[in-house]
Amino acid sequence: MSALLSVTCAVPAAGAVLTAALPAGSTEGRRRATKAVALGVSAVALVLAAVAAARFDPHGARYQLTESYSWIRSFGITFSLGVDGIGAVLALLTAVLVPVVMLASWHDADPAPATASDTATSDTATSEPATFENRRRTQGFFALILAVEAMVLVSFYATDVFVFYVFFEAMLIPMYFLIGGFGDRAGGPDSARQRSYAAVKFLLYNLLGGLVMLAAVIGLYVAAQDQGVGTFDLQTLTSAIADGRLQLGGTAEKALFLGFFFAFAVKAPLWPLHTWLPNAMGESTAGTAVLITAVVDKVGTFAMLRFCLGLFPDASKTFAPAILVLSLVGIVYGALLAIGQKDIKRLVAYASISHFGFIIMGIFAMTSQGQSGATLYMVNHGISTAAWMLVAGFLISRRGSRLIADYGGVQKVAPVLAGTFLIGGLATLSLPGLAPFVSEFLVLVGTFTRYPAIGIVATFGIVLAALYALLLYQRTMTGPVKEGVRSIPDLKVRELAVVAPLVALTILLGVYPKPLTDLVNPSVDATLSQVHRTDPAPAHPVTASSGGEQK
């Protein structure tokens, strides 16, 4: 039994404890040492996650590198880990983004400078009340990021339903403190209250979803126990469902499915359960906003594939049309609200709501193209949105404002910053040649083959994406240079080190996505077989004939 997955999860967890225990950052040297330790731990986790992904054999068993340790024996709960192709790529995405976020957030937890003259560049912070400075301890900030990473990795690797639930909920705690305690310093005089509101709203929404899911988890165990399958082990449960040893029944299965799906739809987030996201992303630092939308929220869409479809195949097919409609509304609604935003970070948040609509649509279209596209979309959205949001964060930290109207002509004073911001925006609108285009194309094709009307309407989301992405660039980067923009410096070496790998991955996966599709496709096929779905036959198949004509 390999221990690679548990070690991969344990490294950031131990790193979080170590970082939190380091001496308070009262001097620049101590703060720098704390950051170096946290960054080093995240780099080790990245290497381990990459090794796990490399050791996964797409042609082997569905779950590999499995581990199982007895935990609560009387209830059949084991700390069981295993990785499939989908979990492998999403864990690798998490491990890639965390060190990038740390490097981008290098000064986000530093004490605020005493003078306004120190706030000219993104390597410093805007002045704020001394009562808040004491809560911005460097070791606490970076320890919380590592804690989030550890819990997300366990969620992607967990093959025990109860273990997944525990970490699915536990990750809310460090995220709450990252939003409320280390929020955006460009939020204005009322920013502390707004941060607190955003953090509480995030916590309450997700706790509500978690409580509903807890009831469903208990209900699943009771139903399984009554039929002699008293366990939370995912592989045992799915096998029992497949061979008929566990029959949940129509009404019970639907109720349990809705309990699981509600929690995942809040986390994702799916319209109309999305309203916490714009507040949380708007009031967070740029790095925390990336953790929310590119890392934590992906657990929700991943869980729809692994748990909703795997445990409740008949209910998934029953509710699929309704979920597709909600996804379609989310695509159009999120894009329309993004167009009307005055705040840069809230615009990115509403754009993400639209993108999550595409992801969920691909999952519940229940075609191989749709689900492969949805999985790729999770990865590509994480990379492209991270690039877009982090460059936006660099811009906001320089000007001290999130309002679009406060910018103009940035490309004339900071051309590299403007160029990378443009690449992030073009990726967001799924420009061919960039990574999101591949995944969005697969989702639309996969949806159209089974639900043509929904696929056609969803294409309007692409048009709206072009509007909000290009309008944002036009209003902030082009035109005459506004007074407050004249002194904005271009990207520095550290910031280039943050953006360069994200831009490179966006281009590489746009022209050569095969390494990801090779990992993902076998797991997608296994998921479709669980719900007894096959791809629809072409409406006008071409058959072999002596004349080679179409019949």
Side-chain angles (χ1 to χ4, degrees):
M1 180 174 65
S2 170
L4 177 59
L5 299 185
S6 58
V7 172
T8 304
C9 300
V11 164
V17 175
L18 173 63
T19 304
L22 291 174
S26 57
T27 65
E28 178 59 30
R30 285 185 175 180
R31 289 194 296 270
R32 192 180 296 115
T34 297
K35 298 168 189 176
V37 168
L39 185 62
V41 169
S42 68
V44 173
L46 171 57
V47 171
L48 292 172
V51 170
R55 290 181 60 182
F56 180 81
D57 179 10
H59 305 293
R62 179 172 183 182
Y63 294 104
Q64 301 176 27
L65 306 176
T66 55
E67 309 173 35
S68 184
Y69 308 96
S70 180
W71 187 11
I72 308 176
R73 189 168 301 174
S74 57
F75 290 100
I77 300 173
T78 58
F79 189 83
S80 299
L81 304 177
V83 63
D84 64 357
I86 298 171
V89 298
L90 292 176
L92 186 57
L93 169 70
T94 300
V96 167
L97 289 180
V98 166
V100 170
V101 166
M102 285 187 177
L103 202 56
S105 308
W106 203 248
H107 295 286
D108 285 353
D110 288 352
T115 64
S117 62
D118 293 331
T119 67
T121 73
S122 65
D123 282 346
T124 59
T126 304
S127 175
E128 61 183 35
T131 55
F132 188 66
E133 289 180 9
N134 294 331
R135 298 165 54 195
R136 300 186 68 87
R137 294 193 303 271
T138 302
Q139 75 275 22
F141 179 76
F142 286 92
L144 289 170
I145 294 176
L146 289 172
V148 171
E149 180 181 22
M151 293 172 186
V152 170
L153 288 175
V154 174
S155 299
F156 287 140
Y157 291 147
T159 57
D160 184 282
V161 177
F162 187 81
V163 170
F164 172 83
Y165 171 77
V166 168
F167 287 91
F168 179 81
E169 287 295 279
M171 69 180 71
L172 302 178
I173 299 171
M175 286 306 308
Y176 169 80
F177 287 108
L178 283 171
I179 297 168
F182 300 91
D184 187 9
R185 289 172 169 178
D190 202 27
S191 60
R193 186 186 65 82
Q194 292 170 350
R195 283 193 296 266
S196 177
Y197 171 78
V200 170
K201 188 173 183 179
F202 162 82
L203 187 64
L204 291 180
Y205 266 67
N206 284 276
L207 279 178
L208 174 62
L211 288 173
V212 174
M213 181 182 171
L214 177 60
V217 169
I218 295 171
L220 175 64
Y221 177 79
V222 170
Q225 178 75 13
D226 289 344
Q227 299 181 48
V229 192
T231 182
F232 286 98
D233 182 71
L234 179 63
Q235 296 182 75
T236 302
L237 290 170
T238 53
S239 297
I241 291 169
D243 61 25
R245 290 182 292 117
L246 176 56
Q247 299 179 359
L248 296 174
T251 302
E253 182 178 350
K254 291 174 184 177
L256 294 174
F257 169 86
L258 290 175
F260 276 74
F261 179 78
F262 180 79
F264 304 152
V266 172
K267 182 87 79 179
L270 175 66
W271 183 91
L273 305 172
H274 66 283
T275 58
W276 63 267
L277 183 65
N279 296 99
M281 289 183 65
E283 300 305 324
S284 300
T285 65
T288 300
V290 169
L291 285 180
I292 293 170
T293 191
V295 176
V296 172
D297 288 355
K298 297 300 187 298
V299 178
T301 48
F302 162 79
M304 291 178 189
L305 275 168
R306 176 169 284 189
F307 295 99
C308 286
L309 273 61
L311 293 172
F312 316 109
D314 293 333
S316 297
K317 290 184 285 188
T318 299
F319 289 107
I323 294 170
L324 288 170
V325 171
L326 294 178
S327 302
L328 187 60
V329 173
I331 291 169
V332 177
Y333 172 88
L336 286 174
L337 264 66
I339 292 171
Q341 290 304 305
K342 300 178 180 179
D343 182 308
I344 296 174
K345 292 169 74 174
R346 289 179 70 90
L347 186 152
V348 178
Y350 279 108
S352 291
I353 292 169
S354 182
H355 292 311
F356 276 104
F358 278 108
I359 294 171
I360 298 170
M361 185 175 73
I363 292 171
F364 284 92
M366 296 190 188
T367 61
S368 59
Q369 302 99 325
Q371 292 192 355
S372 293
T375 304
L376 290 179
Y377 214 131
M378 295 183 218
V379 176
N380 296 336
H381 170 264
I383 295 169
S384 61
T385 299
W388 206 27
M389 174 59 85
L390 292 177
V391 176
F394 296 150
L395 178 65
I396 290 167
S397 66
R398 286 158 159 75
R399 177 69 174 83
S401 172
R402 304 199 308 249
L403 297 178
I404 297 172
D406 289 340
Y407 297 89
V410 174
Q411 66 181 13
K412 297 177 182 177
V413 298
V416 177
L417 187 153
T420 53
F421 191 72
L422 177 61
I423 293 173
L426 293 176
T428 296
L429 62 84
S430 298
L431 183 76
L434 300 179
F437 170 77
V438 178
S439 45
E440 196 161 282
F441 178 79
L442 286 173
V443 166
L444 289 171
V445 169
T447 303
F448 182 82
T449 57
R450 195 181 296 280
Y451 302 97
I454 289 178
I456 290 171
V457 176
T459 57
F460 287 100
I462 302 174
V463 178
L464 297 174
L467 278 174
Y468 64 67
L470 295 178
L471 284 174
L472 176 62
Y473 183 84
Q474 180 190 47
R475 292 167 179 169
T476 56
M477 303 295 164
T478 66
V481 180
K482 291 199 173 181
E483 189 61 35
V485 174
R486 294 185 185 278
S487 60
I488 286 181
D490 214 336
L491 294 183
K492 298 186 174 183
V493 173
R494 173 181 61 84
E495 296 162 335
L496 286 171
V498 169
V499 177
L502 299 177
V503 171
L505 286 172
T506 300
I507 297 171
L508 176 63
L509 295 177
V511 297
Y512 190 65
K514 188 175 183 296
L516 290 186
T517 56
D518 286 346
L519 280 174
V520 165
N521 285 341
S523 297
V524 166
D525 292 340
T527 301
L528 288 174
S529 69
Q530 287 179 318
V531 295
H532 310 293
R533 283 289 200 187
T534 58
D535 290 335
H540 302 287
V542 176
T543 58
S545 65
S546 58
E549 62 216 283
Q550 180 172 306
K551 296 185 178 181

